[in-house]
Amino acid sequence: MNEGKGTGPQWWSRPGPDAASPRTAAAPEPAPPPRPAPGGTADGAAGPASEPSASPPASAAGDRATVRLAALAPPPATAAPEEGAPADGAPQDGGAPQDGAASPAEPVHGTSAEDDTVPGVTVPPAGAPAPPAHPRDPYGTPPYGRPGPWAPAPPVQHPAGAGAPPAYPYAPHPAGPPSPQPATPPEGLRLPAYPQPQPQGTWSRYDPWGAPPPAPAPEERGRRRGRLLVGALLIALVAGGLGGTVGASLRDGGAVTIPQAPVESGHRAPDSVAGIAAATLPGVVYIHVRGGGEEGTGTGFVLDGSGRIITNNHVVEPAADGGTISVTFNDGDVRKAEIVGRDSGYDLAVIEVDGKSGPKPLVLGNSDSVRVGDPVVAIGAPYDLEGTVTSGIISAKDRPITAGGETDGSDVSYVNALQTDAPINPGNSGGPLVDSRGRVIGINTAIRSADSGTDPFGGSQGGSIGLGFAIPVNQAKRVAEELIATGRATHPVIGVTVDMAYDGLGAKVSEKDGSGRTVSPGGPGDEAGIEPGDVITEVDGDRVRNGEELIVKIRSRRPGDRMELTVERDGKKRTITLTLGSATDD
């Protein structure tokens, strides 16, 4: 970079820190003796103006160089000369130039005087301090020499609590003249990198050429690791203590409290299932029967204060010929019972217990007031599970069902039943079906199971599928009253024999039987004009599909009731009216 150049001070060397104030100039080096020019004198006398000297004096050359650079910067502020006054260095009154003033005729660096003359520039006299070559650099950046910060540091994030940042993102340049910079070292000489002094305080100027900040001392790193280790140990101790406390509490049977609702009042609305059950259960009993090599269980309920209980005939039938019956009341009291009367045609029976004080009878409702969809509650002992309460609705009315007749067919029951979807299972037989006011509207009698069994009384031990049947309480009441009064029940009849094998629509009167008579002489049917072979298609306007339905509809009436029948004979229909007769179950 400095090949062919001198190593002395150069024109771009900056003045020292005291350049702004007058300073004592160094003694100028003596100018070398001038070389004699052709035709010149040895004592340095000037020759003709057109032949400049080969080498001007060093001081004059330096001054002219200063004048040449000063043209590039604003001249220093000087007092304007008075109008007509000669400029500094100019000859006064036509005299010679003053000492130290450059002659306009003297060439500078081999150029003409006109080339070196800058209009408006005052040439300082010899020995006077030279003006600055260019404006002061606020960054103190030399073009050559050792590296330095040539640009301000970018803004940085300051730590919280470090105080308000300065107005500028970098440290301001100190007031006063720039620091002196060393000259360019001689060629071939490489200087070591100078360590940058670290400014004191929170904010500092970024120096990319400075030495990196010192690494933390080993003892500082050790202290940090020690603090982390202590924190981890404290956390482990606290967690271990809590775990040990909980474990010891559980191991030693410590009390653990789980939130729970408080005990509420046991009162329930009377028309709720709970209210109905509370009012009905005291009048329900559970029956156990043994006899004839058989045993079974069933349910019943108290009819009156004398200890009479109504149930199904198929529940007590095993004890009819010398068996035993025991009754368990809802309060746990167990009593022996005897059969008062029973009827297989209606599948009803009445039994009585002795010595029971204050049995609670249930209130009987009216089955004729029941409507499909009414809520009902069934109570019994399914599979010997006493006090079981289930609920449902009335699914249908006047559902004709037949049950029994497994032995000789004489014990077939014909029931015009109420159908319910309240779950009824074996053991519920004889129990009450009550309405929303706790009144008995039926006696649970039969179910239809999902298995292949044909016993609707649950002999096949099939479970409920939502098809339960109950004897209407109006019919049960009449039969119970007869059983209590006489021990036997009467059945309404029309005095004809029905052909059960007929597969046509309606109930056909048999044309002949074993005795040759299918219409009883003098009976209700005979008096009404019914003949063998007639087909009865309607009863009181309701269609009759087969013989079982005709018997069920007749059994649902009382003896002496009037009934209107539609009879078809030889393809013609006719309507007849008759009065039901009476018969006993032999």
Side-chain angles (χ1 to χ4, degrees):
M1 178 179 297
N2 298 321
E3 290 84 342
K5 298 182 181 179
T7 59
Q10 302 297 322
W11 62 267
W12 45 262
S13 297
R14 286 184 172 77
D18 298 332
S21 62
R23 66 178 179 177
T24 304
E29 296 180 5
R35 288 181 300 174
T41 62
D43 55 1
S50 60
E51 294 181 4
S53 62
S55 176
S59 61
D63 294 340
R64 288 181 177 85
T66 302
V67 171
R68 188 182 300 114
L69 289 177
L72 302 178
T78 59
E82 297 181 2
E83 186 177 356
D88 293 340
Q92 298 181 2
D93 299 331
Q98 299 177 358
D99 293 340
S103 174
E106 293 181 1
V108 179
H109 289 283
T111 60
S112 64
E114 291 79 4
D115 296 336
D116 292 333
T117 301
V118 180
V121 177
T122 303
V123 178
H134 50 76
R136 181 166 56 88
D137 182 7
Y139 302 104
T141 305
Y144 300 101
R146 64 184 180 86
W150 293 304
V156 297
Q157 297 292 333
H158 305 295
Y168 300 95
Y170 53 86
H173 194 279
S179 300
Q181 302 294 331
T184 303
E187 181 180 2
L189 178 61
R190 303 188 64 180
L191 299 179
Y194 292 96
Q196 298 293 324
Q198 298 297 323
Q200 301 297 321
T202 304
W203 313 105
S204 62
R205 183 172 57 187
Y206 171 71
D207 185 2
W209 300 96
E219 56 271 14
E220 179 65 21
R221 291 197 297 269
R223 285 196 295 271
R224 292 179 183 174
R225 293 194 187 97
R227 287 195 293 269
L228 291 177
L229 181 59
V230 169
L233 289 176
L234 288 176
I235 293 175
L237 289 174
V238 171
L242 291 177
T245 302
V246 174
S249 175
L250 294 178
R251 181 188 62 189
D252 299 338
V256 176
T257 302
I258 300 175
Q260 182 182 17
V263 177
E264 298 178 354
S265 171
H267 176 73
R268 295 292 184 272
D271 58 348
S272 66
V273 175
I276 294 169
T280 306
L281 281 170
V284 179
V285 299
Y286 312 103
I287 303 172
H288 295 77
V289 180
R290 289 183 177 87
E294 300 178 14
E295 63 177 319
T297 62
T299 309
F301 60 91
V302 179
L303 283 174
D304 54 27
S306 300
R308 298 187 182 95
I309 297 168
I310 188 171
T311 185
N312 285 135
N313 176 67
H314 71 267
V315 172
V316 299
E317 187 175 13
D321 298 327
T324 61
I325 303 173
S326 65
V327 176
T328 303
F329 288 86
N330 191 64
D331 59 3
D333 188 15
V334 180
R335 301 284 176 169
K336 296 292 185 181
E338 299 290 338
I339 296 176
V340 175
R342 63 189 186 93
D343 186 275
S344 62
Y346 290 111
D347 193 24
L348 291 172
V350 175
I351 60 176
E352 186 176 6
V353 296
D354 288 332
K356 177 62 177 176
S357 61
K360 182 181 179 181
L362 297 185
V363 178
L364 303 184
N366 194 314
S367 55
D368 291 342
S369 301
V370 175
R371 297 293 179 267
V372 174
D374 286 349
V376 293
V377 174
I379 302 176
Y383 300 102
D384 207 19
L385 299 174
E386 301 175 356
T388 299
V389 178
T390 58
S391 64
I393 62 169
I394 294 296
S395 304
K397 292 180 61 177
D398 301 326
R399 188 71 76 191
I401 64 170
T402 58
E406 289 80 11
T407 54
D408 56 1
S410 60
D411 58 347
V412 177
S413 300
Y414 298 92
V415 179
N416 195 30
L418 298 172
Q419 180 180 331
T420 180
D421 66 348
I424 297 175
N425 293 282
N428 277 98
S429 295
L433 184 70
V434 300
D435 61 12
S436 60
R437 298 176 64 179
R439 301 173 302 186
V440 180
I441 59 173
I443 299 174
N444 300 321
T445 299
I447 62 172
R448 181 66 182 176
S449 301
D451 62 5
S452 58
T454 58
D455 183 5
F457 296 114
S460 61
Q461 297 296 301
S464 172
I465 59 173
L467 295 175
F469 304 96
I471 300 171
V473 73
N474 290 8
Q475 181 176 340
K477 176 180 178 295
R478 179 186 68 83
V479 173
E481 291 173 344
E482 293 181 352
L483 293 176
I484 293 172
T486 65
R488 305 175 71 90
T490 60
H491 304 162
V493 296
I494 61 174
V496 300
T497 303
V498 179
D499 184 3
M500 303 302 291
Y502 178 69
D503 57 0
L505 184 62
K508 183 178 181 180
V509 178
S510 298
E511 295 183 0
K512 62 179 181 179
D513 60 7
S515 61
R517 294 181 178 181
T518 57
V519 178
S520 300
D526 184 36
E527 292 180 357
I530 297 177
E531 297 180 0
D534 289 347
V535 177
I536 301 172
T537 58
E538 293 180 3
V539 174
D540 292 335
D542 295 332
R543 178 175 296 182
V544 175
R545 294 178 177 82
N546 51 49
E548 291 180 352
E549 286 192 9
L550 176 62
I551 296 172
V552 168
K553 290 184 179 298
I554 293 172
R555 291 283 180 93
S556 64
R557 270 82 170 171
R558 292 173 178 268
D561 291 345
R562 294 181 63 84
M563 180 181 291
E564 186 178 273
L565 304 177
T566 300
V567 179
E568 182 177 335
R569 182 187 302 162
D570 299 331
K572 295 181 180 180
K573 292 184 178 181
R574 53 181 300 197
T575 301
I576 61 176
T577 302
L578 53 79
T579 300
L580 294 176
S582 171
T584 59
D585 188 5
D586 295 329

